C-alpha cells in the first residue's frame, strides 16, 4: 500500500501566475520585502529560457474545517515552497514592483539581448545600448505584438537578422508555457506533518520561517478578516521604517484605509526612531505569545486552521476565536502608548541607538512581558522596571539566541503558572548570581567582537550612569553615541601589531574606550607609557594635549568611569594581558552597578 501523501501535477507558469493574481494561491511575499538579489531573478529566467527545470513548488490546501452549521469548507492553497520564485516571475514578467529589505519600492528589470540570447540585470549602460531590450516585461505585456517588437528592434539594429530576432522573441515569450511541477500535499495531513515538510523543504536556499507559514495562513482566510490583518502587520513594519509610505496606503488601498487598523498606526507618520523597527516575524511573535500564552508559531498555524488540540479535529469556531485573539494582539502591539513605552524602556536602560540593540528576540520578549503586565493592571513603574531588567538579563545571558521559540514557550507558560513578578525575580536571581559578575562575566568579555552583548551592555551602562567619554571633560558617552564617536584602543593598535599580535588580540573589547575623534587622533599610535606621562603633566599645569581635563582628581575620576586603572597615571603600566584582565573585572563591575540601578 502506498504511503504517498501528495500528488504531483505539472502546470504552465502562466496558470500559476493567474492563480496568484486571483488569490487561488496565497503568497503574502508580494506585499513584503523580497530577499532575492536581482541576479537570481536573471538566472531563473535564463534557466526557463534554456528549458532547464527550476524545481518544484509545494502547495498545501487548507484543511477542510467544520462550520458552525455542521457543513464543511475546503480552504485555499498555501504555497509553502517556491514563494520567492513565483514572486520573482511576477516581478520580472508582469512588471510588478517589489519591496527591498529597506522598504524601497523597486522594479526589477531584467534585460534581454536577442542576438546573443542573453539575460542581464538592466543597468545604465544596457539602457543606452540598442542591442538590448531593457525590460523583458515588454515582451510579456498582454498587448505586446511580436511583429511590432521585431520591427522596432530591427529598426534600432539594422545589422540584426530580422527573422532570427522574431524567432528568438517568440521563444522568449513561450517560457510562460513551460511547466512547473506543483506538489500538492494531501489536505488531510495534520499540521505537525505539514510543518515538518515545510521545515525540511526550506532547509536549503532562501529559508522561509514559521512566520512565513503563519502569514500565508493569515492571508488566505478572508472569512475572519485575515487579509486585512496580514496587511496591518505588513504595513506597520513598512511604516516603522518609511513613514512616508502612509500617503501611498491611503491613496492605493482604500479598503485598508477605511478599516480599524490604519487609524491605530497613523501616529507612525511623525516617528523617525529606529531603536525598534519590528519585522513581521517580531510582530507575530509578540502578538501571539502575549495573547495566546504560547511561544511556538507552529501552534499559531494550527490554531488559525481551527485545530482542536484535544480532538485533533478542525473547527471553524476555533479558527474564528484564534483570528480574534491574534487581531487583539496585533492591535496591542501597534498601540502608540504601548509601542512608545517599550522604546522608552529600552532607552531608559541606556540602549539609546539601534546599534546598541543586539538580539531582537530579547526585545520581543521584553515587549511580551510589558503587554502581559499591562493586561494584568500592574503598576506602571514596577512593570517598566521588570521589563528593563528582563531585557538586560536576556542580553547578558543570551537567553533567546539558541532556540528562541522553545524559550519563549517555556517563559510564557511559567509566567502564566507562577505570575509575572514572581517568575521574573526568580529567573534574574538564578541567572545573575554574584558569581556571574565576578567570575563568569569577565571571562565572557574575553572577545574581540564589538557587537558582543557584553560590550553593548557596557556602553548602555556608561549612558545610564552618565559617564563622560574617555579623557573628555564635557562630552558624555551619550553625546558620543548619539552623534559621532571613535572607539579608541587604550593600548594603540599599531603598537600591538608591531609586537606581532593578531587582530583578535589587539581588538579585545577590554582595550576599547569611547572617545572624541580629536582625542583619538592626538593619541595616535603613542604607547600608554608615553601618553599617560603626558596626561600626568597636563593635569600638573602642563600643555593640554588630550582633552580639556586639567585637574588630577577629575582625570582619575574619568579613568575610573571608563574602567581604566588610574594606576597608569602613576607610571604603573602593566603588560597588555594584565591590563586586559584588570579592565575586564572593572567593566564587569560597572555592568553590575548598572544592572542594579535598572
Amino acid at each position: 500500500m502506498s504511503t504517498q501523501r501528495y500528488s504531483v501535477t505539472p502546470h504552465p507558469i502562466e496558470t500559476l501566475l493567474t492563480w496568484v493574481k486571483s488569490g487561488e494561491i496565497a503568497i503574502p511575499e508580494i506585499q513584503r520585502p523580497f530577499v532575492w538579489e536581482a541576479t537570481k531573478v536573471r538566472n531563473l529566467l535564463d534557466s526557463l529560457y534554456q528549458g532547464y527545470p527550476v524545481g518544484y513548488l509545494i502547495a498545501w490546501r487548507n484543511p477542510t474545517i467544520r462550520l458552525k452549521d455542521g457543513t464543511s469548507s475546503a480552504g485555499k492553497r498555501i504555497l509553502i515552497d517556491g514563494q520567492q520564485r513565483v514572486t520573482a516571475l511576477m516581478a520580472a514578467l508582469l512588471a510588478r514592483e517589489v519591496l527591498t529589505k529597506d522598504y524601497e519600492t523597486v522594479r526589477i528589470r531584467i534585460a534581454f539581448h536577442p542576438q546573443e540570447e542573453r539575460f542581464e540585470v538592466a543597468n545604465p549602460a544596457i539602457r543606452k545600448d540598442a542591442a538590448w531590450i531593457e525590460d523583458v516585461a515588454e515582451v510579456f505585456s498582454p498587448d505586446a505584438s511580436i511583429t511590432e517588437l521585431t520591427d522596432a528592434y530591427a529598426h534600432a539594429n539594422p545589422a540584426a537578422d530580422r527573422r532570427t530576432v522574431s524567432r528568438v522573441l517568440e521563444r522568449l515569450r513561450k517560457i510562460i508555457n513551460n511547466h512547473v511541477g506543483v506538489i500538492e500535499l494531501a489536505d488531510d495531513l495534520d499540521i505537525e506533518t505539514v510543518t515538518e515538510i515545510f521545515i525540511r523543504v526550506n532547509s536549503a536556499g532562501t529559508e522561509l520561517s514559521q512566520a512565513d507559514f503563519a502569514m500565508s495562513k493569515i492571508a488566505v482566510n478572508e472569512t475572519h478578516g485575515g487579509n486585512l490583518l496580514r496587511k496591518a502587520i505588513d504595513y506597520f513594519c513598512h511604516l516603522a521604517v518609511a513613514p512616508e509610505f502612509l500617503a501611498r496606503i491611503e491613496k492605493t488601498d482604500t479598503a485598508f484605509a477605511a478599516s480599524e487598523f490604519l487609524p491605530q498606526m497613523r501616529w507612525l507618520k511623525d516617528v523617525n526612531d529606529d531603536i525598534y523597527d519590528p519585522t513581521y516575524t517580531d510582530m507575530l511573535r509578540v502578538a501571539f505569545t502575549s495573547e495566546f500564552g504560547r511561544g511556538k508559531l507552529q501552534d499559531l498555524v494550527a490554531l488559525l486552521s481551527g485545530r482542536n488540540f484535544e480532538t485533533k479535529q478542525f473547527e471553524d469556531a476555533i479558527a474564528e476565536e484564534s483570528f480574534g485573539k491574534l487581531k487583539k494582539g496585533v492591535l496591542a502591539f501597534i498601540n502608540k502608548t504601548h509601542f512608545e513605552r517599550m522604546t522608552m524602556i529600552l532607552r531608559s536602560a541606556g540602549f539609546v541607538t539601534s546599534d546598541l540593540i543586539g538580539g531582537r528576540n530579547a526585545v520581543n520578549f521584553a515587549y511580551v512581558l510589558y503587554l502581559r503586565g499591562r493586561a494584568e493592571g500592574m503598576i506602571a513603574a514596577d512593570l517598566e522596571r521588570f521589563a528593563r531588567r528582563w531585557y538586560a538579563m536576556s542580553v547578558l545571558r543570551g537567553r533567546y539566541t539558541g532556540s528562541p521559540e522553545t524559550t519563549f514557550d517555556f517563559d510564557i507558560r511559567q509566567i502564566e503558572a507562577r505570575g509575572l513578578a514572581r517568575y521574573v525575580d526568580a529567573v534574574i536571581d538564578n541567572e545573575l548570581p554574584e558569581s556571574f559578575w565576578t567570575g563568569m562575566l569577565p571571562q565572557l568579555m574575553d572577545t574581540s567582537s564589538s557587537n558582543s552583548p557584553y560590550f553593548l551592555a557596557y556602553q548602555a551602562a556608561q549612558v545610564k550612569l552618565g559617564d563622560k567619554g574617555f579623557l573628555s571633560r564635557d562630552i558624555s558617552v551619550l553625546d558620543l553615541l548619539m552623534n559621532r564617536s571613535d572607539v579608541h584602543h587604550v593600548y594603540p593598535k599599531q603598537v600591538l601589531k608591531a609586537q606581532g599580535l593578531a587582530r583578535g588580540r589587539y581588538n579585545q573589547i577590554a582595550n576599547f574606550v569611547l572617545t572624541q575623534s580629536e582625542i583619538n587622533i592626538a593619541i595616535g599610535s603613542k604607547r600608554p607609557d608615553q601618553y599617560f606621562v603626558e596626561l600626568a603633566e597636563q593635569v600638573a599645569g602642563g600643555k593640554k594635549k588630550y582633552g580639556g581635563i586639567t585637574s588630577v582628581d577629575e582625570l582619575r575620576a574619568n579613568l575610573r568611569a571608563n574602567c581604566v586603572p588610574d594606576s597608569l597615571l602613576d607610571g604603573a603600566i602593566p603588560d597588555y594581558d594584565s591590563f586586559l584582565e584588570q579592565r575586564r573585572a572593572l567593566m564587569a563591575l560597572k555592568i553590575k552597578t548598572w544592572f542594579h540601578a535598572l
Side-chain angles (χ1 to χ4, degrees):
M1 178 179 168
S2 172
T3 59
Q4 184 167 301
R5 309 301 305 279
Y6 61 89
S7 61
V8 184
T9 310
H11 291 286
I13 287 171
E14 187 173 26
T15 299
L16 296 176
L17 296 179
T18 300
W19 283 352
V20 174
K21 285 189 287 185
S22 68
E24 174 65 20
I25 285 184
I27 308 185
E29 276 61 27
I30 290 171
Q31 277 76 34
R32 292 210 304 281
F34 181 64
V35 298
W36 268 21
E37 298 292 336
T39 51
K40 289 190 75 171
V41 181
R42 175 201 66 195
N43 294 345
L44 176 65
L45 293 190
D46 186 59
S47 293
L48 288 169
Y49 186 76
Q50 303 298 339
Y52 298 158
V54 293
Y56 288 93
L57 307 179
I58 302 180
W60 175 54
R61 191 179 289 278
N62 269 357
T64 298
I65 62 175
R66 191 166 61 249
L67 302 175
K68 291 173 184 173
D69 62 3
T71 61
S72 296
S73 171
K76 294 182 178 181
R77 293 182 179 93
I78 293 175
L79 200 58
I80 70 171
D81 188 47
Q83 294 186 3
Q84 292 287 314
R85 277 170 288 162
V86 173
T87 303
L89 291 172
M90 299 283 288
L93 305 185
L94 303 185
R96 287 285 187 94
E97 292 183 329
V98 297
L99 292 173
T100 67
K101 294 189 287 287
D102 299 319
Y103 282 99
E104 294 175 339
T105 303
V106 300
R107 269 273 289 113
I108 296 176
R109 289 179 168 80
I110 305 301
F112 182 66
H113 197 304
Q115 296 171 73
E116 298 178 1
E117 297 183 67
R118 185 161 62 88
F119 294 90
E120 195 50 77
V121 179
N123 58 46
I126 283 175
R127 292 188 187 100
K128 294 175 183 175
D129 188 344
W132 289 86
I133 294 173
E134 72 165 273
D135 188 354
V136 294
E138 295 175 30
V139 180
F140 295 92
S141 173
D143 55 358
S145 158
I146 293 295
T147 301
E148 291 176 5
L149 287 168
T150 303
D151 288 345
Y153 188 85
H155 178 73
N157 298 271
D161 181 75
R162 194 181 182 288
R163 289 180 60 190
T164 301
V165 169
S166 179
R167 192 165 61 246
V168 165
L169 292 180
E170 193 63 55
R171 178 184 169 189
L172 172 62
R173 189 146 76 173
K174 284 181 177 176
I175 67 173
I176 60 172
N177 298 330
N178 289 20
H179 283 68
V180 175
V182 177
I183 299 173
E184 184 127 18
L185 303 179
D187 62 3
D188 61 349
L189 286 178
D190 59 62
I191 298 288
E192 288 78 7
T193 304
V194 175
T195 298
E196 177 64 22
I197 293 169
F198 172 83
I199 291 168
R200 290 191 184 194
V201 299
N202 285 295
S203 60
T206 301
E207 186 173 345
L208 296 175
S209 65
Q210 285 289 350
D212 291 292
F213 199 0
M215 286 294 274
S216 294
K217 288 291 306 176
I218 295 165
V220 295
N221 193 312
E222 295 174 11
T223 306
H224 303 310
N227 191 43
L228 277 178
L229 186 59
R230 186 213 71 216
K231 285 184 177 181
I233 296 168
D234 286 334
Y235 285 159
F236 186 87
C237 296
H238 193 155
L239 286 169
V241 175
E244 66 277 7
F245 185 65
L246 179 67
R248 182 164 177 183
I249 296 174
E250 293 174 327
K251 182 178 179 181
T252 63
D253 197 339
T254 52
F256 184 81
S259 75
E260 65 190 288
F261 292 107
L262 191 62
Q264 297 298 315
M265 58 179 79
R266 200 180 295 277
W267 60 271
L268 283 171
K269 69 179 174 34
D270 302 316
V271 175
N272 290 304
D273 188 345
D274 68 347
I275 282 183
Y276 179 41
D277 285 337
T279 64
Y280 61 88
T281 303
D282 298 324
M283 283 190 70
L284 280 178
R285 282 202 198 289
V286 174
F288 171 61
T289 303
S290 61
E291 202 58 46
F292 288 74
R294 295 170 175 264
K296 296 184 177 179
L297 286 178
Q298 76 178 60
D299 287 350
L300 175 60
V301 172
L303 287 163
L304 294 176
S305 300
R307 173 71 179 273
N308 184 320
F309 284 107
E310 293 180 6
T311 66
K312 312 295 189 204
Q313 299 299 308
F314 296 95
E315 303 169 16
D316 187 55
I318 291 177
E320 183 177 12
E321 180 189 4
S322 299
F323 270 93
K325 288 176 76 172
L326 183 61
K327 176 183 173 182
K328 183 180 175 186
V330 167
L331 286 170
F333 184 104
I334 68 179
N335 177 276
K336 182 176 188 283
T337 300
H338 297 170
F339 195 86
E340 289 189 337
R341 193 60 52 88
M342 186 63 234
T343 56
M344 183 192 76
I345 288 168
L346 293 172
R347 200 177 282 105
S348 69
F351 297 96
V352 290
T353 72
S354 57
D355 291 339
L356 295 182
I357 302 294
R360 183 64 66 81
N361 277 320
V363 179
N364 292 339
F365 201 86
Y367 200 5
V368 169
L369 209 71
Y370 175 79
L371 292 174
R372 289 301 289 245
R374 286 277 303 203
E376 290 178 16
M378 188 175 283
I379 295 170
D382 292 344
L383 176 55
E384 288 160 17
R385 181 171 179 269
F386 280 125
R388 235 186 334 263
R389 287 162 60 82
W390 186 272
Y391 175 71
M393 177 277 296
S394 303
V395 168
L396 290 169
R397 300 298 281 134
R399 190 170 185 83
Y400 302 107
T401 54
S403 304
E405 285 206 339
T406 302
T407 313
F408 266 52
D409 196 60
F410 178 82
D411 283 338
I412 195 65
R413 289 176 188 271
Q414 290 295 311
I415 286 170
E416 293 222 315
R418 297 166 61 180
L420 189 151
R422 189 172 160 214
Y423 181 63
V424 168
D425 283 339
V427 170
I428 287 175
D429 287 345
N430 184 61
E431 291 289 323
L432 301 176
E434 187 60 33
S435 58
F436 173 77
W437 308 111
T438 56
M440 186 183 294
L441 183 54
Q443 293 178 42
L444 291 170
M445 296 178 80
D446 185 356
T447 175
S448 60
S449 171
S450 60
N451 290 320
S452 80
Y454 320 111
F455 191 55
L456 299 180
Y458 171 74
Q459 293 173 80
Q462 287 210 287
V463 170
K464 176 75 172 173
L465 298 172
D467 293 341
K468 296 290 195 293
F470 180 62
L471 304 183
S472 290
R473 193 191 72 175
D474 303 301
I475 306 299
S476 67
V477 170
L478 171 62
D479 295 329
L480 292 170
L481 288 171
M482 296 302 290
N483 295 288
R484 185 177 185 279
S485 65
D486 280 3
V487 175
H488 169 67
H489 295 67
V490 180
Y491 279 54
K493 180 166 59 175
Q494 295 305 323
V495 172
L496 297 174
K497 284 175 77 172
Q499 294 174 12
L501 271 65
R503 181 186 182 91
R505 296 289 301 125
Y506 61 71
N507 272 347
Q508 286 283 302
I509 64 171
N511 194 28
F512 291 159
V513 285
L514 293 182
T515 189
Q516 295 168 241
S517 299
E518 53 270 32
I519 293 174
N520 191 23
I521 292 167
I523 293 172
S525 58
K526 293 174 185 172
R527 299 188 316 272
D529 60 351
Q530 182 180 354
Y531 74 85
F532 270 91
V533 166
E534 294 174 336
L535 275 168
E537 293 171 353
Q538 176 174 316
V539 295
K543 183 179 178 183
K544 282 196 284 190
K545 290 186 176 181
Y546 311 112
I549 298 176
T550 55
S551 156
V552 66
D553 290 340
E554 196 177 344
L555 179 56
R556 288 186 186 277
N558 180 274
L559 295 177
R560 287 194 293 271
N562 284 280
C563 300
V564 175
D566 63 351
S567 57
L568 271 70
L569 263 187
D570 305 320
I573 309 293
D575 64 74
Y576 181 56
D577 286 330
S578 298
F579 165 76
L580 292 178
E581 196 171 329
Q582 290 178 46
R583 189 153 189 263
R584 285 187 198 112
L586 293 170
M587 292 170 77
L589 289 176
K590 175 171 283 286
I591 295 173
K592 176 188 175 184
T593 301
W594 161 73
F595 183 80
H596 289 305
L598 294 178

